[in-house]
Amino acid sequence: MKLVVERTGGFAGLKRRGERNGEDLSPEQRAALDQLVAASDQQKSAGKQQSSDRPAGPGGVAEQDPGADRFTYRLEIQDESGTRSITLPESRMPKELMGIALQ
Amino acid sequence: MDRAVYSEPRPCGCCFIIPTHMLERLSTSGNRDMAATAARTLRINNSLQAFRAQLNTGAPPPATPVRPGLRRQAFNCNGTEDMPGDLARSENDPPAADAAVNQAFDNAGTSWNFYKQIFGRESVDDHGRTLVSSVHYSQGYDNAFWNGQQMVYGDGDGQIFQNFTGSLDVIAHELTHGVTQFTAQLPYHDQSGALNESMSDVFGSMVKQWANGQTVDQADWLIGANIFTADFKGHALRDMANPGTAYDDPMLGKDQQPGHMKDYVQTQDDNGGVHINSGIPNKAFVIAAKAIGGRSWEVIGKVWYVTLTERLTSSADFEKCARETISVARDLYPSDPSIAARIAQAWIDVGVLAAGDAMVASLATGAAAAPAVTAAAPALAGTASPAKASGPKTPAPAKAKKRVAHHRVKPQPPNQPPQ
């Protein structure tokens, strides 16, 4: 498994991107990731809009933090079953995983 | 704050039996009774929109008394994410021991003074709201943001970014997000989000120029020129006059900002590229500002301010903004049509308006105002008296109208002239 973490937005609008192999994740990082995936699955089964579905244009905006110039994180989890991505506002991004984007 | 300001899909402001665009058409129709009824309905619709907007932004009700005067508070998060942190300095306090506290405090004051002295605005909500800043947010945090209620500043990571509080244009940029939240409420994604960003850059740069007493030719038109470490390969974060040229750094890549609609960046990143596509309206502003000349806050700044605070709504895109700035320029400077014409040309230069556009053509021929602008006239009733004769570089605006409230209760002019 490979985890890619991208951070976009912020006042600077600069994109930062890093990746980590699954076996290199710390137990805390692994737990945080598992929790995010479980929450995303739950949302999906509840029929809610997936947080990764962010159609461009009005009316289809992904969850954002209030205000302006906040960071947005996108996690991409690649394994033999395929690739899934989860998009999160800064306030919901586990701190353990933030640093991966800054490699 | 728990309630998201921009994240919730807004209640549709157009859920009325007669669509707004039809009402707008009717309100300018030849039938006087029908026009009056339509205009009245529009006003009610717009009041409802204002009421709903108020729920979203926490804006004070229109009847709330304005508390005139500058009020600031600066807090210190001491490297934590506990907001707002410890109160470190309030209005009338002597300077604090911490430099970032004082920088955030002083630059917020300069920005407040700009809005007050140039536009008569009483703080971000025009009701005297206290300007709150928190500094030393989190650890190695390389960002500055507006959280829907206040300004928040990190210390930078020390590798790319230094602290953010020393830069006046950064602080005026963040404060302007507050102004936008309490006025046009431009949704923070795609074109409306890029306009939101551009407004923050435009007024951020204007505040810096005002504080330095610079003309449009002396201004550097840079955003974030002094927040980088020496290792960064670039001269700023954004170059409003030359979008796409601010930096080219091995680690961060190249500045992606376009300066023309043909290069508009379609992306899912950054809420649809709000910090990228802002380059287009930014460049339009600089082109128009340089064509008009003088000092940015004297003429074109007023046009942009009225556009932001009185004309744009949450549905605005680049074209809407372009048309409104032209319309506002005609209303504020009826004796000097060259101002509207230069603004129109700037929007053409960046590809937002076409050269053959009907509204632009009516400027060139000096024809009677197009219906779109006629409809806008009531919005500035009382300001239509001819401006005093003055030099072409700094014409006096038609008598500045002090809005009764920041809420938009006036009919909005239609976006397009009737076909």
Side-chain angles (χ1 to χ4, degrees):
Chain A
M1 189 275 275
K2 192 168 85 175
L3 172 66
V4 178
V5 181
E6 266 182 9
R7 190 187 77 185
T8 66
F11 170 77
L14 295 169
K15 184 188 213 165
R16 305 296 302 272
R17 185 179 196 275
E19 55 185 57
R20 189 80 47 98
N21 285 320
E23 59 265 29
D24 296 332
L25 292 174
S26 71
E28 293 78 19
Q29 288 175 323
R30 169 60 78 171
L33 183 62
D34 289 347
Q35 217 167 18
L36 282 180
V37 170
S40 168
D41 285 344
Q42 212 169 23
Q43 266 194 336
K44 214 182 342 183
S45 64
K48 287 184 190 162
Q49 190 190 36
Q50 243 186 301
S51 53
S52 59
D53 293 341
R54 192 199 165 284
V61 190
E63 184 187 348
Q64 293 177 4
D65 284 326
D69 293 332
R70 311 298 299 267
F71 290 129
T72 301
Y73 286 86
R74 192 175 71 85
L75 290 86
E76 200 176 280
I77 303 146
Q78 303 168 355
D79 58 24
E80 55 283 357
S81 66
T83 297
R84 67 182 296 171
S85 89
I86 298 172
T87 304
L88 293 168
E90 180 177 6
S91 64
R92 292 216 297 120
M93 176 72 177
K95 283 185 84 85
E96 297 85 355
L97 300 173
M98 285 180 173
I100 296 174
L102 305 179
Q103 278 177 346
Chain B
M1 160 170 168
D2 295 319
R3 185 166 41 80
V5 173
Y6 289 113
S7 66
E8 297 292 324
R10 274 188 211 302
C12 171
C14 334
C15 299
F16 299 97
I17 292 169
I18 306 173
T20 301
H21 67 90
M22 285 175 81
L23 287 170
E24 285 169 346
R25 185 76 64 87
L26 286 171
S27 70
T28 58
S29 75
N31 182 319
R32 190 177 297 174
D33 289 344
M34 198 180 277
T37 304
R40 195 163 53 239
T41 310
L42 267 174
R43 278 196 296 275
I44 294 166
N45 287 6
N46 284 325
S47 314
L48 278 172
Q49 271 179 281
F51 175 70
R52 291 167 178 164
Q54 192 187 313
L55 295 179
N56 279 345
T57 61
T64 307
V66 176
R67 298 189 309 157
L70 171 60
R71 284 177 201 79
R72 288 168 290 178
Q73 289 181 323
F75 292 81
N76 190 339
C77 293
N78 296 300
T80 73
E81 287 164 26
D82 293 334
M83 290 287 293
D86 300 327
L87 182 60
R89 187 174 171 189
S90 294
E91 205 62 50
N92 304 321
D93 282 355
D98 186 276
V101 165
N102 294 329
Q103 287 174 328
F105 193 87
D106 293 344
N107 284 328
T110 303
S111 306
W112 186 96
N113 271 308
F114 169 82
Y115 274 103
K116 172 67 179 170
Q117 291 180 31
I118 305 303
F119 305 127
R121 188 174 190 83
E122 292 283 352
S123 189
V124 287
D125 65 348
D126 207 11
H127 276 70
R129 186 185 175 98
T130 300
L131 295 176
V132 178
S133 311
S134 291
V135 303
H136 300 309
Y137 175 78
S138 194
Q139 301 273 335
Y141 188 75
D142 49 359
N143 199 18
F145 64 91
W146 167 260
N147 77 351
Q149 307 224 319
Q150 64 157 97
M151 295 163 276
V152 186
Y153 303 97
D155 291 332
D157 51 19
Q159 293 184 313
I160 302 160
F161 293 105
Q162 310 183 61
N163 85 330
F164 291 80
T165 45
S167 178
L168 178 57
D169 53 89
V170 172
I171 284 175
H173 174 109
E174 297 308 332
L175 191 145
T176 301
H177 278 308
V179 174
T180 300
Q181 176 179 312
F182 288 110
T183 55
Q185 301 178 42
L186 298 165
Y188 205 62
H189 60 85
D190 302 296
Q191 281 201 20
S192 57
L195 276 181
N196 189 323
E197 272 304 310
S198 176
M199 289 293 175
S200 276
D201 281 352
V202 161
F203 289 99
S205 180
M206 219 186 290
V207 170
K208 188 170 73 175
Q209 293 168 34
W210 176 74
N212 293 337
Q214 292 170 324
T215 66
V216 293
D217 294 318
Q218 292 163 338
D220 63 12
W221 298 105
L222 300 177
I223 300 295
N226 53 349
I227 59 176
F228 294 106
T229 61
D231 296 339
F232 181 75
K233 302 285 181 291
H235 58 276
L237 209 47
R238 291 185 278 277
D239 185 331
M240 298 173 69
N242 302 288
T245 67
Y247 58 88
D248 190 354
D249 184 84
M251 177 148 73
L252 299 174
K254 188 181 178 306
D255 178 5
Q256 285 187 67
Q257 281 210 317
H260 192 280
M261 280 305 279
K262 68 178 162 47
D263 301 315
Y264 186 94
V265 179
Q266 295 285 355
T267 175
Q268 302 267 308
D269 292 344
D270 186 26
N271 299 308
V274 298
H275 292 89
I276 298 170
N277 293 312
S278 55
I280 295 168
N282 278 357
K283 185 165 183 185
F285 181 82
V286 178
I287 292 171
K290 288 187 173 178
I292 292 166
R295 297 169 196 275
S296 58
W297 60 90
E298 287 176 342
V299 177
I300 193 168
K302 289 191 169 65
V303 173
W304 250 245
Y305 179 75
V306 170
T307 299
L308 174 66
T309 58
E310 298 187 30
R311 298 293 186 89
L312 295 183
T313 62
S314 60
S315 62
D317 58 9
F318 288 0
E319 183 185 336
K320 170 75 173 169
C321 182
R323 293 189 188 286
E324 291 300 339
T325 55
I326 296 166
S327 169
V328 169
R330 290 215 277 210
D331 290 340
L332 290 182
Y333 303 103
S335 65
D336 188 351
S338 76
I339 292 170
R342 285 170 168 150
I343 292 170
Q345 187 58 49
W347 289 112
I348 292 169
D349 289 352
V350 300
V352 170
L353 294 182
D357 186 89
M359 189 178 187
V360 176
S362 76
L363 293 174
T365 60
V373 177
T374 308
L380 284 161
T383 71
S385 57
K388 284 180 205 148
S390 54
K393 289 294 184 188
T394 56
K399 186 167 156 277
K401 178 175 71 75
K402 179 61 186 167
R403 282 162 297 122
V404 177
H406 56 277
H407 296 300
R408 197 172 289 98
V409 293
K410 303 170 295 256
Q412 288 296 297
N415 197 10
Q416 302 276 357
Q419 300 301 308

